[in-house]
Amino acid sequence: MRPSFSIPSASSSFTWLFLLVIWILSCQPIDEPPIVLVDPAVAEEAIIGSTFNFPSLPLDYRIYTEPPHASQPNTSVTEFHAIRLGRVMFYDNNLSLDGTISCASCHQQAYAFGDNQALSVGVNGNMSRRNTLAMGTVLNGLPYHTLPNGLHHRPQFMWDEWTKSPLEAMKRHLSDPTIMGIDPDSLVSRLSLVPYYPILYKRAFPQQPEEMRTDFLVGGLGGFTGTFSTQNSHFDGAFKAMKEGEWMEDYLGFSPSENMGKNLFFTHCASCHGNYLGYDIAVEFNQLEDFSACNGLDIHYEDQGIGDLPDKSSHAGMFRVPSLRNIEVSAPYMHDGRFASLREVLEFYNSEIQPHPNLHPLLQDSVGAPVRLQLTDTELEAIEDFLRTLTDQKFLTSPKWSNPFR
């Protein structure tokens, strides 16, 4: 007997077809975004490009100094990336405890990496103890610390010259509760969480373990500030053109007032402030045995300067003699920022020097009384005009030392 078949109804056929479609669809994978493999280098560049305004070509961070000092070329890729890391750190608020200030908050390029305030504001609104030294002249001065006997020595840093190491000074500022207020050793844990630092660190120190280290981070910061070099002022151009000339000859390109001020400066000021202007000038004019002096601002100093350091009480009232490069833009002046203008400074040396017991011998006469300049208004104005020739606009505006953040 043959089996019997029944023809399904139209409604039954539709039901089976519907179930078949549902079964087929249920077997398909869920529609997910396609997996795209991203090149790590491309991802890194995306992070860097969205955060920083870096140029496509490497910047020239070579340091040029005059004979007998050779230029210091920073040309290797690794060195460039270490300097770049330091540049980022210099402008990054992450280096302060409360995330409100960076090194550049107090060391601003427009002011030769000094400040335009008598005292600077640190973390939690704290005020610095002393006026901020212009870093653009401190580090640039390393090649010009020449003693009268022709020997060289490493200078001390800060107003009270407590260290010869700029890196040590940076660590102190990082941890100072009134400045940055952060333990340098805690920088590693903090910066490792910031997306761009592991990238910059790896490029700067490719031969080191990927784990960041404090000494390398601070070293990168020092590498950047160590490139500060200001040698393109109006004075520099005129000085180089007159290399074989006599000091009191008129410099080509100088106005009559600038030449008068130059001659007055070399006569009255260069014995202490000849350093930093040039090797030949330092050898010719510098009469300081070290680079600190009491200039007779007061008879009694509230801030004793070097005299406040252990075993240095005999140096009461003595402070570091600063460079005068870019002095036009680094007001206010002196360790406490008491003078707002160059004219105020010159008026002090002209008639107000006080007979402090430690007044430097170059500022005393044969009986120990203060030697005041007693110059005319025209002569004081001429010295001002000369000091303005020390301004290096290229240094104050160069992109390679500017804020890299977008």
Side-chain angles (χ1 to χ4, degrees):
M1 179 183 294
R2 290 196 219 176
S4 61
F5 294 93
S6 61
I7 300 174
S9 67
S11 61
S12 176
S13 298
F14 179 81
T15 300
W16 281 105
L17 179 61
F18 176 77
L19 293 173
L20 178 63
V21 170
I22 294 297
W23 177 78
I24 293 173
L25 291 176
S26 68
C27 295
Q28 300 304 307
I30 298 173
D31 188 15
E32 294 180 346
I35 298 175
V36 179
L37 298 177
V38 180
D39 185 342
V42 174
E44 289 181 357
E45 283 304 319
I47 294 173
I48 297 300
S50 64
T51 308
F52 304 108
N53 187 26
F54 288 151
S56 56
L57 297 176
L59 295 168
D60 182 5
Y61 281 105
R62 285 173 291 180
I63 305 167
Y64 299 96
T65 54
E66 60 182 303
H69 306 280
S71 64
Q72 303 170 38
N74 298 93
T75 55
S76 73
V77 173
T78 301
E79 257 182 320
F80 169 76
H81 281 293
I83 292 169
R84 174 181 275 189
L85 169 65
R87 180 183 170 201
V88 169
M89 292 178 65
F90 189 83
Y91 283 94
D92 197 341
N93 288 355
N94 281 305
L95 268 68
S96 62
L97 181 64
D98 59 4
T100 60
I101 66 167
S102 65
C103 301
S105 298
C106 302
H107 296 283
Q108 301 174 45
Q109 185 180 13
Y111 307 122
F113 291 101
D115 201 352
N116 64 340
Q117 306 294 324
L119 303 177
S120 301
V121 181
V123 292
N124 299 318
N126 292 312
M127 303 302 296
S128 63
R129 183 185 179 195
R130 297 181 177 127
N131 181 249
T132 298
L133 276 168
M135 290 182 69
T137 56
V138 171
L139 292 176
N140 182 72
L142 288 174
Y144 303 133
H145 282 79
T146 307
L147 300 176
N149 58 9
L151 298 177
H152 308 279
H153 74 106
R154 289 185 61 82
Q156 282 82 5
F157 290 87
M158 315 312 298
W159 281 109
D160 57 8
E161 297 194 332
W162 65 268
T163 180
K164 290 186 178 183
S165 166
L167 295 184
E168 188 179 2
M170 290 174 190
K171 287 183 179 180
R172 170 81 69 91
H173 282 176
L174 285 170
S175 60
D176 190 317
T178 65
I179 302 178
M180 309 291 277
I182 189 169
D183 177 4
D185 291 332
S186 71
L187 276 179
V188 170
S189 56
R190 173 180 284 200
L191 299 188
S192 63
L193 300 177
V194 181
Y196 46 83
Y197 274 113
I199 301 171
L200 295 173
Y201 185 88
K202 181 175 63 177
R203 295 179 182 182
F205 308 110
Q207 304 304 318
Q208 302 301 322
E210 288 196 14
E211 243 182 68
M212 289 192 285
R213 285 174 42 181
T214 301
D215 53 343
F216 283 93
L217 287 170
V218 178
L221 187 59
F224 171 65
T225 57
T227 67
F228 293 171
S229 182
T230 167
Q231 297 178 20
N232 293 285
S233 67
H234 182 33
F235 165 78
D236 290 310
F239 170 65
K240 291 170 186 175
M242 293 293 294
K243 271 287 190 178
E244 304 303 321
E246 295 295 326
W247 293 108
M248 294 306 177
E249 288 183 14
D250 285 351
Y251 277 15
L252 299 175
F254 268 26
S255 70
S257 182
E258 289 168 346
N259 272 312
M260 177 193 291
K262 169 186 67 71
N263 296 342
L264 288 167
F265 177 86
F266 288 147
T267 301
H268 298 290
C269 313
S271 294
C272 294
H273 290 287
N275 282 299
Y276 307 97
L277 296 186
Y279 175 78
D280 292 343
I281 294 175
V283 172
E284 181 81 13
F285 291 101
N286 179 50
Q287 296 180 38
L288 292 177
E289 293 184 1
D290 55 31
F291 298 95
S292 62
C294 173
N295 63 351
L297 283 173
D298 301 297
I299 293 180
H300 176 74
Y301 287 75
E302 290 186 15
D303 181 348
Q304 295 292 319
I306 297 174
D308 280 337
L309 297 178
D311 303 320
K312 293 285 186 178
S313 58
S314 62
H315 290 64
M318 295 175 63
F319 294 86
R320 189 179 195 278
V321 177
S323 165
L324 299 187
R325 282 185 172 271
N326 292 304
I327 193 69
E328 177 187 9
V329 302
S330 60
Y333 306 108
M334 303 299 172
H335 68 279
D336 53 6
R338 68 176 65 189
F339 296 136
S341 67
L342 287 174
R343 177 50 70 95
E344 288 183 33
V345 174
L346 292 175
E347 291 287 0
F348 161 74
Y349 284 111
N350 206 42
S351 59
E352 300 171 11
I353 298 176
Q354 300 300 304
H356 188 279
N358 282 342
L359 184 65
H360 196 278
L362 290 171
L363 296 174
Q364 298 181 38
D365 62 18
S366 58
V367 296
V371 175
R372 302 180 177 116
L373 297 179
Q374 302 298 327
L375 301 177
T376 67
D377 284 346
T378 300
E379 290 172 322
L380 292 177
E381 184 176 345
I383 296 178
E384 279 188 88
D385 288 342
F386 168 72
L387 292 175
R388 293 189 183 98
T389 71
L390 303 177
T391 303
D392 181 352
Q393 288 296 334
K394 183 177 180 180
F395 174 72
L396 302 177
T397 59
S398 173
K400 68 182 181 180
W401 294 306
S402 64
N403 187 347
F405 286 91
R406 290 191 180 278

